[in-house]
Amino acid sequence: AIWMVFQANEGKKPKLMEALKKAASKYVTLAGFLLAIFLIVSFVYYGEKLLIFKLAKLKFIASMINGGMMDFALVFLNFFIILLVEMIFSFAMPFAVLEDKRFFKALLGSLSLVKRLFLAVFILIAIPTLVTLPFSLLKTGLPALMDKTLPEITLLVLGLSVIVTVFIDCIVTVSL
């Protein structure tokens, strides 16, 4: 619709098929970003599980797993992986939508911009994302928390976690 208004303002006759092709092209690119992020997160998740399984044979690591320290270490590792993925893709979607770039050109543009403005982008993503860290830590200790309090505390923690995460993602998106 916006493309058709743009065409009308330039004195051209709006063409529905051209607008649909342009919109479909952008949706395909955005779906590519979604798929790439999903694959990266899946790779990291299953890679961590495989690494823990392989390292569990070592006595030192096995004692950390039994002591529960590994869960907390993984929360912090995942936090930094999330920061890295968010930084890589932070400008890719605006490049794809606003500058009409394809998937790889938008991703390369995002990487070059993040490399130039690394500290600013890191701060703009890291500070709001730090707010979600306590919820991640709470979720790892949720079974112990349920034993000591009411089981409904799980719903409260998970619900607050979702609300805070959506709010923080909105703040990160707007700040960039």
Side-chain angles (χ1 to χ4, degrees), residues 75-76 78-80 82-83 86 125-140 157-172:
V75 167
F76 288 105
N78 287 337
F79 174 75
F80 287 110
I82 287 169
L83 281 179
E86 281 191 32
I125 291 175
I127 290 176
T129 308
L130 275 172
V131 175
T132 64
L133 195 57
F135 289 101
S136 297
L137 290 170
L138 262 176
K139 283 191 262 182
T140 59
V157 169
L158 293 176
L160 281 175
S161 174
V162 168
I163 291 169
V164 167
T165 302
V166 167
F167 183 70
I168 293 303
D169 283 345
C170 290
I171 288 175
V172 168

Side-chain angles (χ1 to χ4, degrees):
I2 294 173
W3 178 250
M4 293 174 74
V5 170
F6 177 73
Q7 285 178 326
N9 283 340
E10 286 190 349
K12 298 178 183 175
K13 183 179 177 185
K15 298 176 184 170
L16 180 62
M17 289 309 290
E18 186 178 335
L20 288 174
K21 284 180 186 175
K22 194 166 191 66
S25 169
K26 289 183 183 190
Y27 281 126
V28 167
T29 303
L30 293 176
F33 290 129
L34 179 66
L35 180 65
I37 292 170
F38 176 76
L39 290 174
I40 290 170
V41 169
S42 297
F43 177 74
V44 168
Y45 177 75
Y46 290 112
E48 283 177 351
K49 297 290 183 193
L50 182 64
L51 183 66
I52 290 172
F53 180 72
K54 295 285 186 185
L55 291 177
K57 296 175 183 173
L58 301 173
K59 288 184 181 182
F60 172 71
I61 301 295
S63 67
M64 284 178 61
I65 292 172
N66 291 336
M69 286 181 56
M70 187 63 79
D71 291 336
F72 290 108
L74 284 176
V75 167
F76 288 105
L77 177 68
N78 287 337
F79 174 75
F80 287 110
I81 290 171
I82 287 169
L83 281 179
L84 182 66
V85 170
E86 281 191 32
M87 286 178 66
I88 290 170
F89 287 95
S90 60
F91 297 108
M93 290 180 203
F95 274 132
V97 173
L98 299 176
E99 294 189 11
D100 217 12
K101 292 187 177 182
R102 295 284 184 190
F103 179 80
F104 289 110
K105 286 187 179 183
L107 194 58
L108 288 174
S110 177
L111 284 172
S112 68
L113 192 59
V114 166
K115 193 165 68 170
R116 256 188 313 177
L117 304 170
F118 180 80
L119 188 60
V121 173
F122 180 78
I123 289 171
L124 285 173
I125 291 175
I127 290 176
T129 308
L130 275 172
V131 175
T132 64
L133 195 57
F135 289 101
S136 297
L137 290 170
L138 262 176
K139 283 191 262 182
T140 59
L142 214 50
L145 190 62
M146 269 181 22
D147 289 342
K148 292 184 172 75
T149 62
L150 299 171
E152 289 80 14
I153 196 78
T154 305
L155 293 174
L156 178 68
V157 169
L158 293 176
L160 281 175
S161 174
V162 168
I163 291 169
V164 167
T165 302
V166 167
F167 183 70
I168 293 303
D169 283 345
C170 290
I171 288 175
V172 168
T173 302
V174 169
S175 69
L176 294 174

